[in-house]
mmCIF file of all heavy atoms in Angstrom:
data_model
loop_
_atom_site.group_PDB
_atom_site.id
_atom_site.type_symbol
_atom_site.label_atom_id
_atom_site.label_comp_id
_atom_site.label_asym_id
_atom_site.label_seq_id
_atom_site.Cartn_x
_atom_site.Cartn_y
_atom_site.Cartn_z
ATOM 1 N N SER F 369 -91.211 -79.778 58.316
ATOM 2 C CA SER F 369 -89.927 -79.998 58.979
ATOM 3 C C SER F 369 -89.376 -78.661 59.465
ATOM 4 O O SER F 369 -89.227 -77.721 58.639
ATOM 5 C CB SER F 369 -88.924 -80.623 58.009
ATOM 6 O OG SER F 369 -89.308 -81.934 57.655
ATOM 7 N N ALA F 370 -89.122 -78.559 60.732
ATOM 8 C CA ALA F 370 -88.732 -77.264 61.297
ATOM 9 C C ALA F 370 -88.370 -77.429 62.769
ATOM 10 O O ALA F 370 -88.574 -78.521 63.352
ATOM 11 C CB ALA F 370 -89.866 -76.244 61.215
ATOM 12 N N LEU F 371 -87.863 -76.374 63.333
ATOM 13 C CA LEU F 371 -87.676 -76.298 64.797
ATOM 14 C C LEU F 371 -88.914 -75.603 65.356
ATOM 15 O O LEU F 371 -89.234 -74.475 64.931
ATOM 16 C CB LEU F 371 -86.401 -75.504 65.103
ATOM 17 C CG LEU F 371 -86.071 -75.364 66.598
ATOM 18 C CD1 LEU F 371 -85.719 -76.707 67.218
ATOM 19 C CD2 LEU F 371 -84.924 -74.376 66.814
ATOM 20 N N TYR F 372 -89.612 -76.252 66.240
ATOM 21 C CA TYR F 372 -90.795 -75.668 66.849
ATOM 22 C C TYR F 372 -90.419 -75.153 68.235
ATOM 23 O O TYR F 372 -90.011 -75.931 69.094
ATOM 24 C CB TYR F 372 -91.945 -76.652 66.890
ATOM 25 C CG TYR F 372 -92.457 -76.918 65.511
ATOM 26 C CD1 TYR F 372 -91.924 -77.913 64.710
ATOM 27 C CD2 TYR F 372 -93.497 -76.125 64.969
ATOM 28 C CE1 TYR F 372 -92.369 -78.125 63.407
ATOM 29 C CE2 TYR F 372 -93.925 -76.335 63.670
ATOM 30 C CZ TYR F 372 -93.388 -77.335 62.899
ATOM 31 O OH TYR F 372 -93.839 -77.511 61.617
ATOM 32 N N LEU F 373 -90.584 -73.873 68.407
ATOM 33 C CA LEU F 373 -90.184 -73.203 69.658
ATOM 34 C C LEU F 373 -91.388 -72.773 70.441
ATOM 35 O O LEU F 373 -92.374 -72.254 69.895
ATOM 36 C CB LEU F 373 -89.325 -71.980 69.331
ATOM 37 C CG LEU F 373 -87.943 -72.292 68.761
ATOM 38 C CD1 LEU F 373 -87.361 -71.069 68.066
ATOM 39 C CD2 LEU F 373 -86.994 -72.728 69.863
ATOM 40 N N CYS F 374 -91.293 -72.989 71.703
ATOM 41 C CA CYS F 374 -92.317 -72.533 72.652
ATOM 42 C C CYS F 374 -91.699 -71.413 73.488
ATOM 43 O O CYS F 374 -90.522 -71.464 73.840
ATOM 44 C CB CYS F 374 -92.733 -73.718 73.544
ATOM 45 S SG CYS F 374 -93.716 -73.256 74.952
ATOM 46 N N ALA F 375 -92.468 -70.416 73.794
ATOM 47 C CA ALA F 375 -91.999 -69.329 74.623
ATOM 48 C C ALA F 375 -93.072 -68.989 75.657
ATOM 49 O O ALA F 375 -94.244 -68.986 75.354
ATOM 50 C CB ALA F 375 -91.705 -68.105 73.784
ATOM 51 N N SER F 376 -92.625 -68.702 76.853
ATOM 52 C CA SER F 376 -93.595 -68.279 77.874
ATOM 53 C C SER F 376 -93.299 -66.855 78.276
ATOM 54 O O SER F 376 -92.178 -66.354 78.112
ATOM 55 C CB SER F 376 -93.545 -69.215 79.069
ATOM 56 O OG SER F 376 -92.419 -69.036 79.899
ATOM 57 N N SER F 377 -94.300 -66.193 78.784
ATOM 58 C CA SER F 377 -94.095 -64.809 79.243
ATOM 59 C C SER F 377 -95.092 -64.523 80.342
ATOM 60 O O SER F 377 -96.138 -65.140 80.465
ATOM 61 C CB SER F 377 -94.233 -63.825 78.089
ATOM 62 O OG SER F 377 -95.554 -63.778 77.622
ATOM 63 N N LYS F 378 -94.730 -63.501 81.113
ATOM 64 C CA LYS F 378 -95.597 -63.056 82.185
ATOM 65 C C LYS F 378 -96.513 -61.968 81.684
ATOM 66 O O LYS F 378 -97.704 -61.963 81.881
ATOM 67 C CB LYS F 378 -94.759 -62.549 83.350
ATOM 68 C CG LYS F 378 -95.346 -62.756 84.722
ATOM 69 C CD LYS F 378 -94.310 -62.540 85.787
ATOM 70 C CE LYS F 378 -94.875 -62.951 87.136
ATOM 71 N NZ LYS F 378 -93.869 -62.765 88.206
ATOM 72 N N ALA F 379 -95.918 -61.008 80.988
ATOM 73 C CA ALA F 379 -96.661 -59.838 80.552
ATOM 74 C C ALA F 379 -96.921 -59.853 79.039
ATOM 75 O O ALA F 379 -97.504 -58.933 78.520
ATOM 76 C CB ALA F 379 -95.927 -58.570 80.936
ATOM 77 N N GLY F 380 -96.449 -60.855 78.351
ATOM 78 C CA GLY F 380 -96.778 -60.992 76.929
ATOM 79 C C GLY F 380 -95.741 -60.402 76.006
ATOM 80 O O GLY F 380 -95.795 -60.614 74.812
#
Side-chain angles (χ1 to χ4, degrees):
Chain F
S369 293
L371 181 67
Y372 290 88
L373 290 161
C374 168
S376 74
S377 67
K378 211 167 188 179

